[in-house]
Structures are given as structure tokens and as C-alpha cells.
């Protein structure tokens, strides 16, 4: 099997313009929700990513018709005739658990395997299962499989999440949209992707309010129609490109972004000495000659600093003039990129949830391996700034969440190619 790698020659200032693709973490739950529509849906601004392709394969396996035309995806769920997700597809994408509520609601039953752990540590689904059980689902967990049924259909319930889980909030919103009665989610996730899912469901006729806040109310309706929806921009991809510009003392114009969704991360770039200018759907970053350190980054649920931006920002902090401190509060093993960054000359110490980054004057190129999606992006960022050649392998991780990553960076002046 041929192994593809990225070859990056640095250091190279990024200068130019990058168009940011649609949000992966919005497309996935919206594709799951489309199963509940009584007519076809068209989703615009859908990035070509392996996770999105996997989600489309799951829908096709279930009997839906799914077609892609450029960045638009058409789903006709009316032919759905199955209620299971094969193990191979579950293993390919842990977040397939977000299909569970939709399948139970649509088919009255569901059979899928337990999503295994992943690079970020165990991915428990206890909050998903407890919530769906309160809505009337009977879920048996045996031999690594989830066998679910809802003989009397799903009904509204009061759901209080012990943690504002993004996936669990999405699963409940989807399952509740056609349940019998009212569902109230307390301590709901507040990410922009939650609001985007709510917008999609409302356009199909669902009655949802409070999305974006900690309490969401869903009045179940008997049926949903189809709709045409444009997916929000990917705020994590945007923060990745901002970190790339900052790390390379560059100047970038990002188009097709929503600066409001980036409000948890922009202060970090300003603290590092970058100058930011924002317009309605564009933003520009100009990096200082030498980055200042970031005193304390704690990843938190939205509107806190996003865990997905931790790795890219750590890559940038490696070159700051001073010590930056990170605390990863969301996932228990999300510092795998630190070891690879050390190979490029970074100075990082990890103690449990805390990572201390001592900035260095320069990084030097080396062969590195992407440990996961955002860690892979961090290694590319460091490679852009490192002196000499950096080879990045493990591209299947990066392809899950970044569309045209190499082309976008090369178009902004990076010396990067994929072979
Ligand atoms: C979503 O994952 C995103 N994925 C993740 O992005 C993101 O990192 C995460 O939210 C946090 O923002 C998608 O949207 C497809 P959670 P999700 O449920 O829903 C614990 C990326 O890089 N938890 O909010 O799985 C869990 O272990 C990916 O694009 C439970 O304990 O995140 C974790 O520690 C990576 N029990 C924390 O909550 C549960 O039932 C946050 O998980 C569910 C979650």
C-alpha cells in the first residue's frame, strides 16, 4: 500500500488568502437528522472529508439516496429500510453514535456496535444512552453491540446532562424533534454547531428554542419536511489557519468565516501579539515578528476555548518568546502531538492535563507522524515554521477534518506538497 506524506520546506511566511470550508462537526449531525425528513434535503457548503463520506455511506447503507455535487449534498431519506450501522463504519468514525437517536426515531429500533475508544482516549456514550432511555428507548448493551428499540415510539422528557456533551445534546435534539411531547435539555452544549443543527431542524418544521444557551426546549411534531440549508463555516479549520499564519510570522485573509464563532480563540491570538481585523464573513490576521507567550489556555465547552484548537495553538506557542501553559479539560489524552513537536525541536513538558511550552527561537524539520486529526494539523503548522524539510505521515487523520489542506496552504505561500 502506498503511504502518502506531506513534504514541507520551511521556514515560510504565509501570505495571501484562504477560503475556509464548511463545518465538519455541523455536517455530521445534520446528515443524521436528515433521516427524519419526509422529503429530500439539500446541504450546501459540505466539505469533501473522509468523515463526511463515511456519514454518507452510513445513510446509503440505511437505504437513503445520497448524492454529492461539488460542495452540495442531496439526501432523499424516504427509501430508508434498515436500522443498523455495520461495525466497519462505526469503527471508521466514532461520532457515528450521533446517528443513534435518528435511527431509533425513524425505524423504531437500532443496532450498532459500541464506538471504540479513539486517539483522544475513551469515548464514553453514557450520556447519550441515559438520555435516550429517558425518552423511552430500550437499549441493551451486550457483546459490544447496542440493541435498541422503542416499541411505543419516543416521548419527550426532561434531560439533565451532567456534562454539556456536544454529541449527546445533538442526539437528544434529533430524537426529540419528532417525539411525542416536550423535551427540555438542561446543561446542553452551546457550540455553534448545535445552533446550526437547530436551524436545519427548524427549517424542516421542528419546534426548537433555546439552542446556543444551556436549556433547549423541543416540542415534538408528527412529521418533518425537507429543506435547503447552508452549513456554517468550520471555526476549527479557521483557527488552524490563524495559528499557521501566527507561527510563520505571516499575514492571512480568511474568507467564508464567521468571526463570531471564533470569539473564544481570538483573544489568544491578540495576547500572542497578532493584529486581527474582522468583517462580516472575512477576517485578517497579521503576526508580529516574534510571538508573545500565552499565559493560560484552558479548554472548556463553548463559549470557552475549544479543545479542537488546542493542538494548532500549541504548535504556534512553541515559537513564542516565553512560557505558555495549556490545561486540557475535555479529553484525557489529547497531547499526543507534544511528543512529535519535540522531534521538531520544541520544548514541551506534559503532566496529566497540563502542558508547559517553553518557546524556542527556531524549530528544525524532521519526519513526524500525525497522532490524530488536530495533532496532525499542529505538526503541519510547526513544519511550515521549521527550518529545513519536515515530512508528515498519518495523513488519513488530517483528511478526516481538513478539505484541500495542502492546496490551501500552498496557495498562501507555503512550500508544501503531498506525495
Ligand atoms: C464533539 O465530539 C466533536 N466531534 C469533537 O471534535 C470535539 O472535540 C468535541 O465535541 C468537544 O467539543 C463532533 O462534533 C463530530 P463531547 P463529542 O460529547 O460529541 C465526555 C474533532 O477534532 N463524554 O462533547 O464526542 C467525553 O469523553 C472532534 O473534530 C462522556 O463522558 O464530544 C469527553 O471527555 C474531536 N459521556 C467530553 O465528554 C458521553 O456520553 C466531551 O465530549 C459523551 C461525552
Amino acid at each position: 500500500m502506498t503511504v502518502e506524506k506531506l513534504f514541507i520546506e520551511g521556514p515560510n511566511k504565509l501570505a495571501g488568502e484562504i477560503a475556509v470550508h464548511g463545518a465538519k462537526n455541523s455536517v455530521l449531525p445534520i446528515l443524521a437528522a436528515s433521516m427524519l425528513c419526509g422529503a429530500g434535503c439539500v446541504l450546501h457548503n459540505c466539505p469533501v472529508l473522509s468523515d463526511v463520506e463515511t456519514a454518507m455511506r452510513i445513510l446509503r447503507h440505511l437505504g437513503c439516496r445520497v448524492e454529492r455535487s461539488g460542495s452540495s449534498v442531496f439526501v432523499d431519506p424516504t427509501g430508508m429500510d434498515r436500522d443498523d450501522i455495520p461495525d466497519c463504519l462505526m469503527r471508521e468514525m466514532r461520532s457515528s453514535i450521533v446517528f443513534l437517536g435518528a435511527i431509533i426515531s425513524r425505524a423504531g429500533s437500532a443496532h450498532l456496535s459500541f464506538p471504540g475508544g479513539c486517539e483522544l482516549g475513551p469515548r464514553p456514550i453514557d450520556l447519550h444512552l441515559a438520555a435516550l432511555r429517558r425518552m423511552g428507548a430500550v437499549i441493551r448493551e451486550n457483546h459490544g453491540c447496542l440493541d435498541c428499540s422503542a416499541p411505543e415510539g419516543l416521548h419527550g422528557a426532561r434531560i439533565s446532562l451532567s456534562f454539556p456533551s456536544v454529541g449527546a445534546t445533538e442526539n437528544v435534539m434529533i430524537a426529540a424533534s419528532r417525539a411525542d411531547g416536550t423535551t427540555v435539555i438542561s446543561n446542553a452544549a452551546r457550540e455553534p454547531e448545535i445552533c446550526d443543527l437547530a436551524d436545519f431542524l427548524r427549517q424542516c418544521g421542528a419546534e426548537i428554542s433555546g439552542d446556543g444557551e444551556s436549556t433547549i426546549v423541543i416540542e415534538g411534531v408528527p412529521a418533518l419536511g425537507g429543506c435547503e440549508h447552508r452549513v456554517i463555516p468550520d471555526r476549527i479549520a479557521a483557527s488552524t489557519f490563524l495559528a499557521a499564519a501566527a507561527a510563520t510570522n505571516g499575514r492571512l485573509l480568511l474568507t467564508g468565516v464567521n468571526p463570531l464563532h471564533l470569539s473564544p480563540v481570538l483573544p489568544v491570538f491578540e495576547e500572542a501579539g497578532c493584529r486581527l481585523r474582522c468583517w462580516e464573513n472575512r477576517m485578517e490576521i497579521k503576526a508580529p515578528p516574534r510571538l508573545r507567550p500565552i499565559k493560560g489556555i484552558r479548554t472548556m465547552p463553548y463559549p470557552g476555548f475549544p479543545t479542537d484548537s488546542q493542538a494548532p495553538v500549541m504548535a504556534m506557542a512553541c515559537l513564542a518568546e516565553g512560557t505558555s501553559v495549556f490545561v486540557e479539560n475535555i479529553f484525557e489524552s489529547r497531547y499526543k502531538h507534544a511528543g512529535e513537536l519535540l522531534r521538531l525541536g520544541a520544548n514541551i513538558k506534559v503532566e496529566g492535563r497540563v502542558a508547559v511550552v517553553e518557546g524556542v527561537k527556531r524549530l528544525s524539520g524532521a519526519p513526524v507522524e500525525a497522532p490524530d486529526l488536530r495533532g496532525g494539523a499542529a505538526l503541519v503548522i510547526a513544519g511550515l515554521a521549521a527550518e529545513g524539510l519536515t515530512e508528515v505521515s498519518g495523513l488519513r487523520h488530517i483528511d478526516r477534518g481538513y478539505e484541500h489542506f495542502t492546496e490551501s496552504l500552498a496557495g498562501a505561500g507555503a512550500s508544501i506538497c503531498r506525495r
Side-chain angles (χ1 to χ4, degrees):
M1 182 183 87
T2 56
V3 178
E4 284 192 300
K5 287 181 182 176
L6 289 181
F7 295 85
I8 305 168
E9 206 48 62
N12 239 324
K13 286 187 182 185
L14 283 194
E17 183 175 321
I18 290 182
V20 174
H21 58 70
K24 162 177 88 81
N25 293 346
S26 221
V27 171
L28 299 179
I30 286 176
L31 284 175
S34 69
M35 268 187 265
L36 301 188
C37 297
C41 297
V42 184
L43 300 179
H44 298 298
N45 201 26
C46 285
V48 177
L49 302 169
S50 52
D51 270 4
V52 173
E53 299 310 305
T54 303
M56 290 165 65
R57 280 165 48 211
I58 289 173
L59 287 177
R60 289 194 188 104
H61 169 83
L62 293 166
C64 304
R65 196 159 66 80
V66 189
E67 312 289 337
R68 174 186 278 278
S69 161
S71 65
S72 297
V73 170
F74 171 75
V75 182
D76 174 2
T78 49
M80 181 168 157
D81 57 4
R82 292 184 69 114
D83 68 356
D84 69 309
I85 298 182
D87 190 52
C88 57
L89 287 178
M90 278 303 288
R91 287 203 172 278
E92 222 170 284
M93 188 174 70
R94 237 91 30 205
S95 39
S96 310
I97 190 67
V98 82
F99 282 77
L100 179 58
I103 298 174
I104 298 176
S105 169
R106 172 68 189 271
S109 59
H111 303 277
L112 40 87
S113 59
F114 235 78
C118 73
E119 308 84 10
L120 310 180
R123 298 295 286 271
I125 56 171
D126 54 309
L127 301 177
H128 297 250
L129 304 187
L132 292 169
R133 283 176 170 131
R134 280 181 62 81
M135 297 176 71
V138 177
I139 301 176
R140 275 187 303 284
E141 307 164 45
N142 44 31
H143 312 302
C145 284
L146 295 170
D147 292 322
C148 315
S149 64
E152 287 84 43
L154 295 172
H155 55 74
R158 301 189 68 80
I159 307 289
S160 178
L161 295 176
S162 57
F163 180 85
S165 154
V166 172
T169 302
E170 292 164 346
N171 241 330
V172 173
M173 282 168 69
I174 294 169
S177 53
R178 284 194 341 175
D180 178 17
T182 305
T183 298
V184 180
I185 310 174
S186 305
N187 196 25
R190 299 174 54 193
E191 274 71 352
E193 292 76 27
I194 298 289
C195 300
D196 203 27
L197 172 62
D199 285 342
F200 169 81
L201 284 166
R202 276 190 286 264
Q203 282 177 271
C204 295
E207 289 177 27
I208 299 178
S209 59
D211 46 291
E213 296 306 319
S214 293
T215 301
I216 302 177
V217 180
I218 304 109
E219 299 291 345
V221 294
L224 293 175
C227 81
E228 192 156 354
H229 178 80
R230 181 174 180 77
V231 168
I232 58 172
D234 193 312
R235 60 194 170 93
I236 305 302
S239 69
T240 305
F241 291 125
L242 291 177
T248 59
N249 181 14
R251 177 178 193 150
L252 257 191
L253 175 69
L254 297 185
T255 60
V257 291
N258 182 335
L260 288 178
H261 295 165
L262 282 149
S263 47
V265 299
L266 299 187
V268 166
F269 288 96
E270 285 167 344
E271 183 183 349
C274 298
R275 197 200 69 201
L276 297 165
R277 294 200 297 167
C278 297
W279 298 270
E280 192 202 344
N281 57 9
R282 297 181 311 151
M283 63 182 300
E284 183 193 59
I285 181 169
K286 186 169 177 352
R290 185 79 197 274
L291 291 168
R292 290 202 297 270
I294 306 139
K295 286 291 161 259
I297 289 196
R298 287 169 178 71
T299 63
M300 296 298 280
Y302 199 91
F305 186 90
T307 173
D308 295 346
S309 300
Q310 178 253 107
V313 169
M314 182 181 285
M316 141 189 149
C318 290
L319 287 159
E321 188 168 22
T323 305
S324 301
V325 180
F326 292 78
V327 184
E328 173 53 58
N329 294 306
I330 306 295
F331 288 105
E332 66 182 49
S333 137
R334 201 167 197 178
Y335 283 134
K336 290 207 173 78
H337 44 284
E340 293 299 301
L341 288 169
L342 293 180
R343 291 169 51 84
L344 298 172
N347 179 343
I348 305 170
K349 285 182 190 58
V350 172
E351 284 290 329
R353 289 188 175 276
V354 179
V356 180
V357 179
E358 298 290 348
V360 293
K361 269 200 180 318
R362 64 184 60 77
L363 297 171
S364 52
V368 287
E369 164 107 24
D372 54 55
L373 166 55
R374 307 303 174 183
L379 297 177
V380 172
I381 290 170
L384 295 172
E387 290 181 358
L389 175 66
T390 297
E391 292 178 20
V392 183
S393 53
L395 302 190
R396 71 188 185 291
H397 293 296
I398 297 177
D399 292 342
R400 289 187 48 200
Y402 293 97
E403 183 188 44
H404 307 146
F405 198 44
T406 309
E407 297 81 352
S408 296
L409 292 169
S415 167
I416 180 172
C417 69
R418 179 169 181 152
R419 281 202 298 274

